[in-house]
Amino acid sequence: MEMLWVLNLGNNSIDGTIPIGFGGIEFLLVLDLHNLHLTGEIPEDISNCKYLRELDLSGNSLDGQISNTLYNLTFIEVLDLHGNQLSGRIPETLGNLSYLLYLDLSQNNLSGAIPSSLGNLPNLTHFNLSSNSLSGPIPLIPKMQAFGASSFLNNSGLCGPPLQ
């Protein structure tokens, strides 16, 4: 499987955990495991997929924290983790993903402050942190503010513009 480029199993009746070993698929570009009834944590070895462009694990029941090692996904353009049960803080290191276009962490149990480093993502066109347990002021960074209130809704501890 070293030469596998795209693995799209989304919207199927597959359950269980994400197996360890995806990190060994050196040239994997797309890993799409959305809406599969998956549980457990996101394996850290996924961050070894150095050419990965799209990681979609949305619509599952994944728990645990978002790994700090995801910053190793240097070429990632799409990171969609919405609709899980992920907890803990948003890693500051996600702000290093300079090719990132799409970031959706909504509908989880993420807490703490929004890292200001997310304002360092120059190519971001979709940004959603809604429906978590985030708190504190929304960073006054134009890139983040431009996404509007809908990107931050249903976080009772958040305050400041663009929220009312």
Side-chain angles (χ1 to χ4, degrees):
M1 285 194 0
E2 319 180 331
M3 297 303 293
L4 184 67
W5 291 359
V6 176
L7 181 59
N8 184 346
L9 299 174
N11 287 322
N12 280 293
S13 296
I14 300 172
D15 57 14
T17 60
I18 300 172
I20 294 173
F22 283 113
I25 307 173
E26 184 176 356
F27 296 103
L28 188 63
L29 299 176
V30 175
L31 180 57
D32 186 345
L33 303 176
H34 77 280
N35 295 333
L36 294 180
H37 314 289
L38 297 174
T39 58
E41 296 187 6
I42 301 170
E44 288 210 19
D45 77 328
I46 287 177
S47 64
N48 295 334
C49 298
K50 59 184 175 185
Y51 299 108
L52 196 64
R53 303 267 190 212
E54 180 178 336
L55 178 59
D56 186 349
L57 303 177
S58 64
N60 286 293
S61 296
L62 298 171
D63 57 24
Q65 298 186 0
I66 299 172
S67 174
N68 279 323
T69 62
L70 288 183
Y71 76 90
N72 289 330
L73 300 176
T74 310
F75 299 106
I76 194 87
E77 296 174 356
V78 175
L79 181 58
D80 191 349
L81 303 177
H82 86 272
N84 282 290
Q85 298 168 10
L86 298 169
S87 60
R89 297 181 175 272
I90 298 170
E92 188 86 29
T93 55
L94 292 184
N96 297 333
L97 302 174
S98 60
Y99 289 97
L100 199 61
L101 301 169
Y102 186 103
L103 178 61
D104 196 336
L105 304 177
S106 65
Q107 301 170 354
N108 278 289
N109 297 314
L110 299 170
S111 59
I114 298 171
S116 59
S117 66
L118 297 182
N120 298 336
L121 300 170
N123 300 308
L124 207 56
T125 58
H126 177 88
F127 179 73
N128 193 347
L129 302 178
S130 66
S131 300
N132 278 289
S133 297
L134 299 170
S135 59
I138 297 170
L140 293 171
I141 298 170
K143 186 71 176 176
M144 268 195 241
Q145 297 283 322
F147 289 103
S150 63
S151 293
F152 304 100
L153 292 176
N154 299 318
N155 285 286
S156 60
L158 280 182
C159 58
L163 295 175
Q164 296 292 326

